[in-house]
PDB file of all heavy atoms in Angstrom:
ATOM      1  N   ILE A  15      29.453  13.477 -34.227  1.00 98.00           N
ATOM      2  CA  ILE A  15      30.328  13.049 -35.336  1.00 98.00           C
ATOM      3  C   ILE A  15      31.770  12.891 -34.804  1.00 98.00           C
ATOM      4  O   ILE A  15      32.434  13.974 -34.609  1.00 98.00           O
ATOM      5  CB  ILE A  15      30.360  14.150 -36.444  1.00 98.00           C
ATOM      6  CG1 ILE A  15      28.849  14.524 -36.855  1.00 98.00           C
ATOM      7  CG2 ILE A  15      31.200  13.725 -37.661  1.00 98.00           C
ATOM      8  CD1 ILE A  15      28.077  13.449 -37.680  1.00 98.00           C
ATOM      9  N   PRO A  16      32.167  11.734 -34.554  1.00 97.00           N
ATOM     10  CA  PRO A  16      33.324  11.600 -33.711  1.00 97.00           C
ATOM     11  C   PRO A  16      34.722  11.502 -34.440  1.00 97.00           C
ATOM     12  O   PRO A  16      35.626  10.796 -33.982  1.00 97.00           O
ATOM     13  CB  PRO A  16      33.037  10.139 -33.001  1.00 97.00           C
ATOM     14  CG  PRO A  16      32.458   9.414 -34.054  1.00 97.00           C
ATOM     15  CD  PRO A  16      31.531  10.410 -34.852  1.00 97.00           C
ATOM     16  N   PHE A  17      34.759  12.285 -35.564  1.00 96.00           N
ATOM     17  CA  PHE A  17      36.075  12.210 -36.364  1.00 96.00           C
ATOM     18  C   PHE A  17      36.813  13.500 -36.197  1.00 96.00           C
ATOM     19  O   PHE A  17      36.230  14.501 -36.317  1.00 96.00           O
ATOM     20  CB  PHE A  17      35.639  11.991 -37.849  1.00 96.00           C
ATOM     21  CG  PHE A  17      34.754  10.810 -38.010  1.00 96.00           C
ATOM     22  CD1 PHE A  17      33.463  10.832 -38.564  1.00 96.00           C
ATOM     23  CD2 PHE A  17      35.163   9.475 -37.573  1.00 96.00           C
ATOM     24  CE1 PHE A  17      32.694   9.683 -38.689  1.00 96.00           C
ATOM     25  CE2 PHE A  17      34.342   8.383 -37.753  1.00 96.00           C
ATOM     26  CZ  PHE A  17      33.164   8.466 -38.197  1.00 96.00           C
ATOM     27  N   CYS A  18      38.126  13.285 -36.016  1.00 94.00           N
ATOM     28  CA  CYS A  18      38.993  14.452 -35.865  1.00 94.00           C
ATOM     29  C   CYS A  18      40.204  14.245 -36.830  1.00 94.00           C
ATOM     30  O   CYS A  18      40.527  13.125 -37.261  1.00 94.00           O
ATOM     31  CB  CYS A  18      39.525  14.673 -34.478  1.00 94.00           C
ATOM     32  SG  CYS A  18      38.111  15.004 -33.438  1.00 94.00           S
ATOM     33  N   ARG A  19      40.890  15.274 -37.203  1.00 92.00           N
ATOM     34  CA  ARG A  19      42.081  15.220 -38.083  1.00 92.00           C
ATOM     35  C   ARG A  19      43.256  14.815 -37.260  1.00 92.00           C
ATOM     36  O   ARG A  19      44.157  14.148 -37.678  1.00 92.00           O
ATOM     37  CB  ARG A  19      42.291  16.466 -38.820  1.00 92.00           C
ATOM     38  CG  ARG A  19      43.353  16.321 -39.924  1.00 92.00           C
ATOM     39  CD  ARG A  19      43.199  17.372 -40.885  1.00 92.00           C
ATOM     40  NE  ARG A  19      42.092  17.155 -41.858  1.00 92.00           N
ATOM     41  CZ  ARG A  19      41.684  18.155 -42.610  1.00 92.00           C
ATOM     42  NH1 ARG A  19      42.123  19.322 -42.679  1.00 92.00           N
ATOM     43  NH2 ARG A  19      40.703  17.875 -43.487  1.00 92.00           N
ATOM     44  N   SER A  20      43.327  15.271 -35.949  1.00 90.00           N
ATOM     45  CA  SER A  20      44.375  14.810 -35.004  1.00 90.00           C
ATOM     46  C   SER A  20      43.795  14.877 -33.633  1.00 90.00           C
ATOM     47  O   SER A  20      42.717  15.421 -33.458  1.00 90.00           O
ATOM     48  CB  SER A  20      45.536  15.787 -35.185  1.00 90.00           C
ATOM     49  OG  SER A  20      45.135  17.126 -34.715  1.00 90.00           O
ATOM     50  N   LYS A  21      44.445  14.281 -32.728  1.00 89.00           N
ATOM     51  CA  LYS A  21      43.893  14.267 -31.371  1.00 89.00           C
ATOM     52  C   LYS A  21      44.531  15.275 -30.444  1.00 89.00           C
ATOM     53  O   LYS A  21      45.678  15.360 -30.291  1.00 89.00           O
ATOM     54  CB  LYS A  21      44.135  12.792 -30.809  1.00 89.00           C
ATOM     55  CG  LYS A  21      43.285  12.490 -29.521  1.00 89.00           C
ATOM     56  CD  LYS A  21      41.824  12.126 -29.815  1.00 89.00           C
ATOM     57  CE  LYS A  21      41.150  11.792 -28.476  1.00 89.00           C
ATOM     58  NZ  LYS A  21      39.715  11.723 -28.539  1.00 89.00           N
ATOM     59  N   SER A  29      36.437  10.234 -29.515  1.00 91.00           N
ATOM     60  CA  SER A  29      36.687  10.776 -30.876  1.00 91.00           C
ATOM     61  C   SER A  29      38.009  10.288 -31.407  1.00 91.00           C
ATOM     62  O   SER A  29      38.821   9.899 -30.642  1.00 91.00           O
ATOM     63  CB  SER A  29      36.723  12.304 -31.021  1.00 91.00           C
ATOM     64  OG  SER A  29      37.784  12.847 -30.152  1.00 91.00           O
ATOM     65  N   GLY A  30      38.243  10.255 -32.640  1.00 92.00           N
ATOM     66  CA  GLY A  30      39.515   9.727 -33.199  1.00 92.00           C
ATOM     67  C   GLY A  30      39.677  10.002 -34.644  1.00 92.00           C
ATOM     68  O   GLY A  30      38.827  10.570 -35.311  1.00 92.00           O
ATOM     69  N   VAL A  31      40.841   9.567 -35.157  1.00 93.00           N
ATOM     70  CA  VAL A  31      41.170   9.821 -36.502  1.00 93.00           C
ATOM     71  C   VAL A  31      40.905   8.569 -37.304  1.00 93.00           C
ATOM     72  O   VAL A  31      41.463   7.476 -36.940  1.00 93.00           O
ATOM     73  CB  VAL A  31      42.660  10.188 -36.602  1.00 93.00           C
ATOM     74  CG1 VAL A  31      43.117  10.436 -38.037  1.00 93.00           C
ATOM     75  CG2 VAL A  31      43.099  11.308 -35.677  1.00 93.00           C
ATOM     76  N   TYR A  32      39.987   8.624 -38.208  1.00 93.00           N
ATOM     77  CA  TYR A  32      39.493   7.490 -38.955  1.00 93.00           C
ATOM     78  C   TYR A  32      39.469   7.745 -40.473  1.00 93.00           C
ATOM     79  O   TYR A  32      39.273   8.920 -40.838  1.00 93.00           O
ATOM     80  CB  TYR A  32      38.191   7.090 -38.493  1.00 93.00           C
ATOM     81  CG  TYR A  32      37.952   6.630 -37.169  1.00 93.00           C
ATOM     82  CD1 TYR A  32      37.595   7.533 -36.054  1.00 93.00           C
ATOM     83  CD2 TYR A  32      38.290   5.226 -36.804  1.00 93.00           C
ATOM     84  CE1 TYR A  32      37.683   7.062 -34.807  1.00 93.00           C
ATOM     85  CE2 TYR A  32      38.197   4.849 -35.456  1.00 93.00           C
ATOM     86  CZ  TYR A  32      37.901   5.807 -34.474  1.00 93.00           C
ATOM     87  OH  TYR A  32      37.905   5.300 -33.156  1.00 93.00           O
ATOM     88  N   PRO A  33      39.616   6.802 -41.326  1.00 91.00           N
ATOM     89  CA  PRO A  33      39.543   7.032 -42.656  1.00 91.00           C
ATOM     90  C   PRO A  33      38.201   7.381 -43.216  1.00 91.00           C
ATOM     91  O   PRO A  33      37.195   7.090 -42.451  1.00 91.00           O
ATOM     92  CB  PRO A  33      39.991   5.689 -43.316  1.00 91.00           C
ATOM     93  CG  PRO A  33      39.675   4.633 -42.374  1.00 91.00           C
ATOM     94  CD  PRO A  33      39.858   5.336 -40.953  1.00 91.00           C
ATOM     95  N   ALA A  34      38.125   8.021 -44.472  1.00 89.00           N
ATOM     96  CA  ALA A  34      36.863   8.504 -44.971  1.00 89.00           C
ATOM     97  C   ALA A  34      35.825   7.345 -45.007  1.00 89.00           C
ATOM     98  O   ALA A  34      34.626   7.547 -44.960  1.00 89.00           O
ATOM     99  CB  ALA A  34      37.017   9.139 -46.328  1.00 89.00           C
ATOM    100  N   SER A  35      36.314   6.085 -45.312  1.00 91.00           N
ATOM    101  CA  SER A  35      35.341   4.965 -45.525  1.00 91.00           C
ATOM    102  C   SER A  35      34.550   4.814 -44.203  1.00 91.00           C
ATOM    103  O   SER A  35      33.278   4.354 -44.339  1.00 91.00           O
ATOM    104  CB  SER A  35      36.122   3.728 -45.858  1.00 91.00           C
ATOM    105  OG  SER A  35      37.101   3.386 -44.811  1.00 91.00           O
ATOM    106  N   GLU A  36      35.134   5.007 -43.046  1.00 95.00           N
ATOM    107  CA  GLU A  36      34.479   4.977 -41.731  1.00 95.00           C
ATOM    108  C   GLU A  36      33.437   6.045 -41.662  1.00 95.00           C
ATOM    109  O   GLU A  36      32.286   5.803 -41.105  1.00 95.00           O
ATOM    110  CB  GLU A  36      35.366   5.063 -40.640  1.00 95.00           C
ATOM    111  CG  GLU A  36      36.363   3.886 -40.450  1.00 95.00           C
ATOM    112  CD  GLU A  36      35.697   2.527 -40.145  1.00 95.00           C
ATOM    113  OE1 GLU A  36      35.162   2.008 -41.178  1.00 95.00           O
ATOM    114  OE2 GLU A  36      35.761   2.101 -39.024  1.00 95.00           O
ATOM    115  N   HIS A  37      33.723   7.240 -42.165  1.00 96.00           N
ATOM    116  CA  HIS A  37      32.713   8.269 -42.098  1.00 96.00           C
ATOM    117  C   HIS A  37      31.513   7.898 -42.834  1.00 96.00           C
ATOM    118  O   HIS A  37      30.421   8.105 -42.413  1.00 96.00           O
ATOM    119  CB  HIS A  37      33.284   9.619 -42.874  1.00 96.00           C
ATOM    120  CG  HIS A  37      34.588  10.125 -42.189  1.00 96.00           C
ATOM    121  ND1 HIS A  37      34.983  11.516 -42.453  1.00 96.00           N
ATOM    122  CD2 HIS A  37      35.423   9.693 -41.278  1.00 96.00           C
ATOM    123  CE1 HIS A  37      36.091  11.673 -41.822  1.00 96.00           C
ATOM    124  NE2 HIS A  37      36.363  10.695 -41.129  1.00 96.00           N
ATOM    125  N   GLU A  38      31.644   7.259 -44.009  1.00 96.00           N
ATOM    126  CA  GLU A  38      30.528   6.784 -44.823  1.00 96.00           C
ATOM    127  C   GLU A  38      29.667   5.763 -44.008  1.00 96.00           C
ATOM    128  O   GLU A  38      28.446   5.871 -43.979  1.00 96.00           O
ATOM    129  CB  GLU A  38      30.990   6.263 -46.104  1.00 96.00           C
ATOM    130  CG  GLU A  38      30.205   6.692 -47.185  1.00 96.00           C
ATOM    131  CD  GLU A  38      30.811   6.538 -48.619  1.00 96.00           C
ATOM    132  OE1 GLU A  38      31.862   7.215 -48.811  1.00 96.00           O
ATOM    133  OE2 GLU A  38      30.438   5.767 -49.286  1.00 96.00           O
ATOM    134  N   VAL A  41      27.749   7.511 -41.062  1.00 98.00           N
ATOM    135  CA  VAL A  41      26.600   8.275 -41.437  1.00 98.00           C
ATOM    136  C   VAL A  41      25.457   7.316 -41.940  1.00 98.00           C
ATOM    137  O   VAL A  41      24.297   7.535 -41.658  1.00 98.00           O
ATOM    138  CB  VAL A  41      26.880   9.398 -42.585  1.00 98.00           C
ATOM    139  CG1 VAL A  41      25.632   9.953 -43.155  1.00 98.00           C
ATOM    140  CG2 VAL A  41      27.736  10.393 -41.984  1.00 98.00           C
ATOM    141  N   LEU A  71      25.276  19.507 -34.349  1.00 98.00           N
ATOM    142  CA  LEU A  71      26.227  18.403 -34.700  1.00 98.00           C
ATOM    143  C   LEU A  71      27.527  18.747 -33.924  1.00 98.00           C
ATOM    144  O   LEU A  71      28.135  19.798 -34.202  1.00 98.00           O
ATOM    145  CB  LEU A  71      26.437  18.528 -36.247  1.00 98.00           C
ATOM    146  CG  LEU A  71      25.717  17.580 -37.084  1.00 98.00           C
ATOM    147  CD1 LEU A  71      24.170  17.775 -37.079  1.00 98.00           C
ATOM    148  CD2 LEU A  71      26.207  17.654 -38.483  1.00 98.00           C
ATOM    149  N   GLY A  72      27.835  17.742 -33.009  1.00 97.00           N
ATOM    150  CA  GLY A  72      29.013  18.056 -32.215  1.00 97.00           C
ATOM    151  C   GLY A  72      30.037  16.834 -32.441  1.00 97.00           C
ATOM    152  O   GLY A  72      29.734  16.040 -33.327  1.00 97.00           O
ATOM    153  N   GLY A  73      31.055  16.860 -31.600  1.00 88.00           N
ATOM    154  CA  GLY A  73      31.948  15.742 -31.884  1.00 88.00           C
ATOM    155  C   GLY A  73      33.171  15.766 -30.965  1.00 88.00           C
ATOM    156  O   GLY A  73      33.051  16.143 -29.866  1.00 88.00           O
ATOM    157  N   GLY A  74      34.299  15.544 -31.563  1.00 91.00           N
ATOM    158  CA  GLY A  74      34.596  15.450 -32.998  1.00 91.00           C
ATOM    159  C   GLY A  74      34.584  16.750 -33.829  1.00 91.00           C
ATOM    160  O   GLY A  74      34.471  17.756 -33.257  1.00 91.00           O
ATOM    161  N   THR A  75      34.770  16.502 -35.131  1.00 95.00           N
ATOM    162  CA  THR A  75      34.735  17.627 -36.036  1.00 95.00           C
ATOM    163  C   THR A  75      33.864  17.384 -37.198  1.00 95.00           C
ATOM    164  O   THR A  75      34.272  16.859 -38.199  1.00 95.00           O
ATOM    165  CB  THR A  75      36.342  17.812 -36.546  1.00 95.00           C
ATOM    166  OG1 THR A  75      37.068  17.835 -35.477  1.00 95.00           O
ATOM    167  CG2 THR A  75      36.462  19.038 -37.326  1.00 95.00           C
ATOM    168  N   PRO A  76      32.614  17.765 -37.029  1.00 97.00           N
ATOM    169  CA  PRO A  76      31.625  17.512 -38.043  1.00 97.00           C
ATOM    170  C   PRO A  76      32.014  18.133 -39.431  1.00 97.00           C
ATOM    171  O   PRO A  76      31.554  17.561 -40.486  1.00 97.00           O
ATOM    172  CB  PRO A  76      30.323  18.037 -37.504  1.00 97.00           C
ATOM    173  CG  PRO A  76      30.540  18.068 -36.114  1.00 97.00           C
ATOM    174  CD  PRO A  76      31.949  18.327 -35.787  1.00 97.00           C
ATOM    175  N   SER A  77      32.793  19.180 -39.333  1.00 95.00           N
ATOM    176  CA  SER A  77      33.013  19.919 -40.663  1.00 95.00           C
ATOM    177  C   SER A  77      33.952  19.013 -41.529  1.00 95.00           C
ATOM    178  O   SER A  77      34.262  19.280 -42.635  1.00 95.00           O
ATOM    179  CB  SER A  77      33.697  21.279 -40.390  1.00 95.00           C
ATOM    180  OG  SER A  77      34.813  21.032 -39.453  1.00 95.00           O
ATOM    181  N   LEU A  78      34.483  17.880 -40.942  1.00 95.00           N
ATOM    182  CA  LEU A  78      35.371  16.985 -41.701  1.00 95.00           C
ATOM    183  C   LEU A  78      34.396  16.016 -42.707  1.00 95.00           C
ATOM    184  O   LEU A  78      35.044  15.397 -43.557  1.00 95.00           O
ATOM    185  CB  LEU A  78      36.221  16.020 -40.817  1.00 95.00           C
ATOM    186  CG  LEU A  78      37.338  16.733 -40.100  1.00 95.00           C
ATOM    187  CD1 LEU A  78      38.114  15.703 -39.318  1.00 95.00           C
ATOM    188  CD2 LEU A  78      38.300  17.342 -41.102  1.00 95.00           C
ATOM    189  N   LEU A  79      33.141  16.030 -42.442  1.00 96.00           N
ATOM    190  CA  LEU A  79      32.325  15.277 -43.300  1.00 96.00           C
ATOM    191  C   LEU A  79      32.390  15.697 -44.787  1.00 96.00           C
ATOM    192  O   LEU A  79      32.287  16.945 -45.018  1.00 96.00           O
ATOM    193  CB  LEU A  79      30.903  15.198 -42.796  1.00 96.00           C
ATOM    194  CG  LEU A  79      30.570  14.360 -41.454  1.00 96.00           C
ATOM    195  CD1 LEU A  79      29.128  14.503 -41.242  1.00 96.00           C
ATOM    196  CD2 LEU A  79      31.138  12.965 -41.600  1.00 96.00           C
ATOM    197  N   ALA A  80      32.308  14.708 -45.609  1.00 97.00           N
ATOM    198  CA  ALA A  80      32.311  15.129 -47.123  1.00 97.00           C
ATOM    199  C   ALA A  80      30.898  15.678 -47.403  1.00 97.00           C
ATOM    200  O   ALA A  80      29.849  15.284 -46.762  1.00 97.00           O
ATOM    201  CB  ALA A  80      32.452  13.854 -47.962  1.00 97.00           C
ATOM    202  N   PRO A  81      30.757  16.649 -48.302  1.00 98.00           N
ATOM    203  CA  PRO A  81      29.530  17.336 -48.607  1.00 98.00           C
ATOM    204  C   PRO A  81      28.348  16.411 -48.841  1.00 98.00           C
ATOM    205  O   PRO A  81      27.183  16.570 -48.319  1.00 98.00           O
ATOM    206  CB  PRO A  81      29.803  18.085 -49.897  1.00 98.00           C
ATOM    207  CG  PRO A  81      31.278  18.339 -49.960  1.00 98.00           C
ATOM    208  CD  PRO A  81      31.861  17.102 -49.236  1.00 98.00           C
ATOM    209  N   LYS A  82      28.681  15.243 -49.550  1.00 98.00           N
ATOM    210  CA  LYS A  82      27.576  14.302 -49.844  1.00 98.00           C
ATOM    211  C   LYS A  82      26.965  13.635 -48.515  1.00 98.00           C
ATOM    212  O   LYS A  82      25.762  13.425 -48.327  1.00 98.00           O
ATOM    213  CB  LYS A  82      27.804  13.250 -50.819  1.00 98.00           C
ATOM    214  CG  LYS A  82      28.916  12.206 -50.404  1.00 98.00           C
ATOM    215  CD  LYS A  82      28.968  11.102 -51.352  1.00 98.00           C
ATOM    216  CE  LYS A  82      29.901  10.076 -50.666  1.00 98.00           C
ATOM    217  NZ  LYS A  82      30.336   8.886 -51.378  1.00 98.00           N
ATOM    218  N   LEU A  83      27.913  13.492 -47.520  1.00 98.00           N
ATOM    219  CA  LEU A  83      27.462  12.903 -46.283  1.00 98.00           C
ATOM    220  C   LEU A  83      26.581  13.993 -45.473  1.00 98.00           C
ATOM    221  O   LEU A  83      25.630  13.547 -44.794  1.00 98.00           O
ATOM    222  CB  LEU A  83      28.575  12.362 -45.496  1.00 98.00           C
ATOM    223  CG  LEU A  83      29.391  11.264 -46.112  1.00 98.00           C
ATOM    224  CD1 LEU A  83      30.530  10.837 -45.162  1.00 98.00           C
ATOM    225  CD2 LEU A  83      28.553  10.028 -46.440  1.00 98.00           C
ATOM    226  N   VAL A  84      27.032  15.157 -45.588  1.00 98.00           N
ATOM    227  CA  VAL A  84      26.189  16.261 -44.857  1.00 98.00           C
ATOM    228  C   VAL A  84      24.787  16.288 -45.451  1.00 98.00           C
ATOM    229  O   VAL A  84      23.832  16.196 -44.760  1.00 98.00           O
ATOM    230  CB  VAL A  84      26.934  17.666 -45.178  1.00 98.00           C
ATOM    231  CG1 VAL A  84      25.941  18.821 -44.646  1.00 98.00           C
ATOM    232  CG2 VAL A  84      28.230  17.730 -44.407  1.00 98.00           C
ATOM    233  N   VAL A 105      26.712  23.584 -36.068  1.00 98.00           N
ATOM    234  CA  VAL A 105      27.719  22.555 -36.473  1.00 98.00           C
ATOM    235  C   VAL A 105      28.996  23.075 -35.698  1.00 98.00           C
ATOM    236  O   VAL A 105      29.432  24.188 -35.856  1.00 98.00           O
ATOM    237  CB  VAL A 105      27.880  22.434 -37.915  1.00 98.00           C
ATOM    238  CG1 VAL A 105      29.007  21.535 -38.148  1.00 98.00           C
ATOM    239  CG2 VAL A 105      26.576  21.902 -38.472  1.00 98.00           C
ATOM    240  N   GLU A 106      29.675  22.162 -34.971  1.00 97.00           N
ATOM    241  CA  GLU A 106      30.944  22.362 -34.489  1.00 97.00           C
ATOM    242  C   GLU A 106      31.980  22.193 -35.625  1.00 97.00           C
ATOM    243  O   GLU A 106      31.946  21.254 -36.307  1.00 97.00           O
ATOM    244  CB  GLU A 106      31.367  21.409 -33.281  1.00 97.00           C
ATOM    245  CG  GLU A 106      30.640  21.811 -32.039  1.00 97.00           C
ATOM    246  CD  GLU A 106      31.030  20.734 -30.981  1.00 97.00           C
ATOM    247  OE1 GLU A 106      31.741  19.860 -31.164  1.00 97.00           O
ATOM    248  OE2 GLU A 106      30.569  21.091 -29.829  1.00 97.00           O
ATOM    249  N   CYS A 107      32.858  23.214 -35.711  1.00 96.00           N
ATOM    250  CA  CYS A 107      33.905  23.147 -36.824  1.00 96.00           C
ATOM    251  C   CYS A 107      35.294  23.448 -36.139  1.00 96.00           C
ATOM    252  O   CYS A 107      35.342  24.250 -35.225  1.00 96.00           O
ATOM    253  CB  CYS A 107      33.596  24.194 -37.858  1.00 96.00           C
ATOM    254  SG  CYS A 107      32.121  23.957 -38.756  1.00 96.00           S
ATOM    255  N   ALA A 108      36.278  22.835 -36.692  1.00 95.00           N
ATOM    256  CA  ALA A 108      37.610  23.116 -36.244  1.00 95.00           C
ATOM    257  C   ALA A 108      38.139  24.141 -37.292  1.00 95.00           C
ATOM    258  O   ALA A 108      38.072  23.843 -38.483  1.00 95.00           O
ATOM    259  CB  ALA A 108      38.495  21.755 -36.257  1.00 95.00           C
ATOM    260  N   PRO A 109      38.715  25.227 -36.851  1.00 95.00           N
ATOM    261  CA  PRO A 109      39.222  26.241 -37.796  1.00 95.00           C
ATOM    262  C   PRO A 109      40.324  25.467 -38.675  1.00 95.00           C
ATOM    263  O   PRO A 109      41.057  24.620 -38.150  1.00 95.00           O
ATOM    264  CB  PRO A 109      39.932  27.215 -36.919  1.00 95.00           C
ATOM    265  CG  PRO A 109      39.258  27.087 -35.545  1.00 95.00           C
ATOM    266  CD  PRO A 109      38.871  25.646 -35.487  1.00 95.00           C
ATOM    267  N   SER A 110      40.374  25.857 -39.995  1.00 94.00           N
ATOM    268  CA  SER A 110      41.285  25.292 -40.998  1.00 94.00           C
ATOM    269  C   SER A 110      40.790  24.057 -41.486  1.00 94.00           C
ATOM    270  O   SER A 110      41.352  23.329 -42.353  1.00 94.00           O
ATOM    271  CB  SER A 110      42.670  25.104 -40.446  1.00 94.00           C
ATOM    272  OG  SER A 110      42.857  23.922 -39.652  1.00 94.00           O
ATOM    273  N   GLN A 111      39.564  23.526 -40.922  1.00 95.00           N
ATOM    274  CA  GLN A 111      39.082  22.183 -41.468  1.00 95.00           C
ATOM    275  C   GLN A 111      37.643  22.274 -41.890  1.00 95.00           C
ATOM    276  O   GLN A 111      36.795  21.522 -41.522  1.00 95.00           O
ATOM    277  CB  GLN A 111      39.224  21.226 -40.295  1.00 95.00           C
ATOM    278  CG  GLN A 111      40.664  20.896 -39.877  1.00 95.00           C
ATOM    279  CD  GLN A 111      40.759  20.063 -38.616  1.00 95.00           C
ATOM    280  OE1 GLN A 111      40.088  19.082 -38.491  1.00 95.00           O
ATOM    281  NE2 GLN A 111      41.687  20.449 -37.688  1.00 95.00           N
ATOM    282  N   ILE A 112      37.429  23.443 -42.672  1.00 95.00           N
ATOM    283  CA  ILE A 112      36.093  23.600 -43.268  1.00 95.00           C
ATOM    284  C   ILE A 112      36.362  23.860 -44.747  1.00 95.00           C
ATOM    285  O   ILE A 112      36.532  24.902 -45.224  1.00 95.00           O
ATOM    286  CB  ILE A 112      35.372  24.822 -42.690  1.00 95.00           C
ATOM    287  CG1 ILE A 112      35.655  24.954 -41.142  1.00 95.00           C
ATOM    288  CG2 ILE A 112      33.804  24.768 -42.998  1.00 95.00           C
ATOM    289  CD1 ILE A 112      35.304  26.316 -40.672  1.00 95.00           C
ATOM    290  N   ALA A 113      36.155  22.752 -45.534  1.00 96.00           N
ATOM    291  CA  ALA A 113      36.359  22.833 -46.933  1.00 96.00           C
ATOM    292  C   ALA A 113      35.184  23.721 -47.590  1.00 96.00           C
ATOM    293  O   ALA A 113      34.192  23.665 -47.054  1.00 96.00           O
ATOM    294  CB  ALA A 113      36.346  21.479 -47.540  1.00 96.00           C
ATOM    295  N   GLU A 115      33.490  23.217 -50.259  1.00 97.00           N
ATOM    296  CA  GLU A 115      32.336  22.396 -50.593  1.00 97.00           C
ATOM    297  C   GLU A 115      31.456  21.898 -49.409  1.00 97.00           C
ATOM    298  O   GLU A 115      30.278  21.849 -49.539  1.00 97.00           O
ATOM    299  CB  GLU A 115      32.762  21.142 -51.380  1.00 97.00           C
ATOM    300  CG  GLU A 115      33.690  21.399 -52.625  1.00 97.00           C
ATOM    301  CD  GLU A 115      35.085  21.861 -52.179  1.00 97.00           C
ATOM    302  OE1 GLU A 115      35.626  21.390 -51.148  1.00 97.00           O
ATOM    303  OE2 GLU A 115      35.806  22.598 -52.926  1.00 97.00           O
ATOM    304  N   THR A 116      32.146  21.650 -48.392  1.00 97.00           N
ATOM    305  CA  THR A 116      31.467  21.237 -47.074  1.00 97.00           C
ATOM    306  C   THR A 116      30.565  22.439 -46.556  1.00 97.00           C
ATOM    307  O   THR A 116      29.557  22.242 -46.263  1.00 97.00           O
ATOM    308  CB  THR A 116      32.414  20.724 -46.065  1.00 97.00           C
ATOM    309  OG1 THR A 116      33.146  19.626 -46.609  1.00 97.00           O
ATOM    310  CG2 THR A 116      31.629  20.355 -44.802  1.00 97.00           C
ATOM    311  N   LEU A 117      31.299  23.618 -46.554  1.00 98.00           N
ATOM    312  CA  LEU A 117      30.519  24.798 -46.146  1.00 98.00           C
ATOM    313  C   LEU A 117      29.282  25.025 -46.997  1.00 98.00           C
ATOM    314  O   LEU A 117      28.162  25.407 -46.371  1.00 98.00           O
ATOM    315  CB  LEU A 117      31.531  25.984 -46.117  1.00 98.00           C
ATOM    316  CG  LEU A 117      30.930  27.366 -45.648  1.00 98.00           C
ATOM    317  CD1 LEU A 117      30.321  27.266 -44.298  1.00 98.00           C
ATOM    318  CD2 LEU A 117      32.098  28.435 -45.738  1.00 98.00           C
ATOM    319  N   ALA A 119      27.655  22.832 -48.568  1.00 98.00           N
ATOM    320  CA  ALA A 119      26.649  21.774 -48.197  1.00 98.00           C
ATOM    321  C   ALA A 119      25.948  22.124 -46.865  1.00 98.00           C
ATOM    322  O   ALA A 119      24.702  21.867 -46.730  1.00 98.00           O
ATOM    323  CB  ALA A 119      27.264  20.382 -48.212  1.00 98.00           C
ATOM    324  N   LEU A 120      26.683  22.537 -45.897  1.00 98.00           N
ATOM    325  CA  LEU A 120      26.192  22.938 -44.626  1.00 98.00           C
ATOM    326  C   LEU A 120      25.032  24.088 -44.764  1.00 98.00           C
ATOM    327  O   LEU A 120      23.977  23.954 -44.154  1.00 98.00           O
ATOM    328  CB  LEU A 120      27.235  23.376 -43.697  1.00 98.00           C
ATOM    329  CG  LEU A 120      28.189  22.234 -43.166  1.00 98.00           C
ATOM    330  CD1 LEU A 120      29.400  22.861 -42.461  1.00 98.00           C
ATOM    331  CD2 LEU A 120      27.513  21.173 -42.277  1.00 98.00           C
ATOM    332  N   LEU A 146      45.515  22.510 -35.089  1.00 87.00           N
ATOM    333  CA  LEU A 146      46.221  22.740 -36.371  1.00 87.00           C
ATOM    334  C   LEU A 146      46.074  24.088 -36.969  1.00 87.00           C
ATOM    335  O   LEU A 146      46.572  24.362 -38.012  1.00 87.00           O
ATOM    336  CB  LEU A 146      45.755  21.715 -37.281  1.00 87.00           C
ATOM    337  CG  LEU A 146      45.786  20.311 -36.810  1.00 87.00           C
ATOM    338  CD1 LEU A 146      45.081  19.260 -37.899  1.00 87.00           C
ATOM    339  CD2 LEU A 146      47.208  19.843 -36.602  1.00 87.00           C
TER     340      LEU A 146
END
Side-chain angles (χ1 to χ4, degrees):
I15 307 290
F17 306 120
C18 295
R19 191 160 281 165
S20 63
K21 191 80 180 166
S29 65
V31 183
Y32 295 94
S35 56
E36 294 293 80
H37 297 197
E38 221 160 294
V41 170
L71 260 65
T75 308
S77 54
L78 289 181
L79 288 182
K82 69 169 188 188
L83 297 182
V84 169
V105 174
E106 282 183 356
C107 294
S110 80
Q111 298 173 41
I112 321 167
E115 305 72 34
T116 301
L117 180 53
L120 291 171
L146 303 173

